[in-house]
mmCIF file of all heavy atoms in Angstrom:
data_model
loop_
_atom_site.group_PDB
_atom_site.id
_atom_site.type_symbol
_atom_site.label_atom_id
_atom_site.label_comp_id
_atom_site.label_asym_id
_atom_site.label_seq_id
_atom_site.Cartn_x
_atom_site.Cartn_y
_atom_site.Cartn_z
ATOM 1 N N LEU D 398 18.003 -130.659 -40.657
ATOM 2 C CA LEU D 398 17.319 -130.259 -41.876
ATOM 3 C C LEU D 398 16.210 -131.258 -42.194
ATOM 4 O O LEU D 398 16.475 -132.439 -42.438
ATOM 5 C CB LEU D 398 18.321 -130.220 -43.037
ATOM 6 C CG LEU D 398 17.811 -129.754 -44.395
ATOM 7 C CD1 LEU D 398 17.387 -128.280 -44.314
ATOM 8 C CD2 LEU D 398 18.899 -129.942 -45.453
ATOM 9 N N ALA D 407 16.957 -136.350 -50.378
ATOM 10 C CA ALA D 407 18.211 -136.470 -49.630
ATOM 11 C C ALA D 407 19.397 -136.028 -50.465
ATOM 12 O O ALA D 407 20.327 -135.374 -49.976
ATOM 13 C CB ALA D 407 18.393 -137.902 -49.135
ATOM 14 N N MET D 408 19.386 -136.378 -51.742
ATOM 15 C CA MET D 408 20.474 -135.978 -52.651
ATOM 16 C C MET D 408 20.535 -134.465 -52.769
ATOM 17 O O MET D 408 21.599 -133.843 -52.746
ATOM 18 C CB MET D 408 20.278 -136.629 -54.014
ATOM 19 C CG MET D 408 20.472 -138.138 -54.010
ATOM 20 S SD MET D 408 22.201 -138.618 -53.699
ATOM 21 C CE MET D 408 22.926 -138.202 -55.281
ATOM 22 N N ALA D 409 19.380 -133.856 -52.902
ATOM 23 C CA ALA D 409 19.328 -132.394 -53.047
ATOM 24 C C ALA D 409 19.820 -131.709 -51.776
ATOM 25 O O ALA D 409 20.533 -130.700 -51.827
ATOM 26 C CB ALA D 409 17.905 -131.960 -53.363
ATOM 27 N N ALA D 410 19.440 -132.271 -50.641
ATOM 28 C CA ALA D 410 19.810 -131.651 -49.363
ATOM 29 C C ALA D 410 21.301 -131.771 -49.070
ATOM 30 O O ALA D 410 21.842 -130.990 -48.304
ATOM 31 C CB ALA D 410 19.001 -132.293 -48.232
ATOM 32 N N THR D 411 21.967 -132.758 -49.677
ATOM 33 C CA THR D 411 23.382 -132.989 -49.398
ATOM 34 C C THR D 411 24.284 -132.531 -50.545
ATOM 35 O O THR D 411 25.486 -132.854 -50.574
ATOM 36 C CB THR D 411 23.651 -134.472 -49.103
ATOM 37 O OG1 THR D 411 23.179 -135.278 -50.221
ATOM 38 C CG2 THR D 411 22.918 -134.907 -47.840
ATOM 39 N N GLU D 412 23.733 -131.776 -51.469
ATOM 40 C CA GLU D 412 24.486 -131.349 -52.648
ATOM 41 C C GLU D 412 25.755 -130.591 -52.261
ATOM 42 O O GLU D 412 26.805 -130.739 -52.898
ATOM 43 C CB GLU D 412 23.599 -130.468 -53.533
ATOM 44 C CG GLU D 412 24.225 -130.100 -54.875
ATOM 45 C CD GLU D 412 24.420 -131.301 -55.784
ATOM 46 O OE1 GLU D 412 23.584 -132.238 -55.707
ATOM 47 O OE2 GLU D 412 25.399 -131.304 -56.556
ATOM 48 N N SER D 413 25.694 -129.776 -51.208
ATOM 49 C CA SER D 413 26.857 -128.954 -50.832
ATOM 50 C C SER D 413 28.004 -129.768 -50.288
ATOM 51 O O SER D 413 29.125 -129.279 -50.188
ATOM 52 C CB SER D 413 26.427 -127.922 -49.782
ATOM 53 O OG SER D 413 25.988 -128.556 -48.589
ATOM 54 N N LEU D 414 27.759 -131.036 -49.918
ATOM 55 C CA LEU D 414 28.817 -131.886 -49.372
ATOM 56 C C LEU D 414 29.544 -132.688 -50.450
ATOM 57 O O LEU D 414 30.552 -133.315 -50.173
ATOM 58 C CB LEU D 414 28.223 -132.877 -48.349
ATOM 59 C CG LEU D 414 27.545 -132.258 -47.116
ATOM 60 C CD1 LEU D 414 26.959 -133.348 -46.235
ATOM 61 C CD2 LEU D 414 28.522 -131.404 -46.329
ATOM 62 N N ALA D 415 29.036 -132.657 -51.656
ATOM 63 C CA ALA D 415 29.601 -133.469 -52.726
ATOM 64 C C ALA D 415 31.006 -132.997 -53.089
ATOM 65 O O ALA D 415 31.309 -131.818 -53.010
ATOM 66 C CB ALA D 415 28.696 -133.417 -53.944
#
Side-chain angles (χ1 to χ4, degrees):
L398 183 65
M408 291 292 286
T411 56
E412 187 66 32
S413 63
L414 299 178

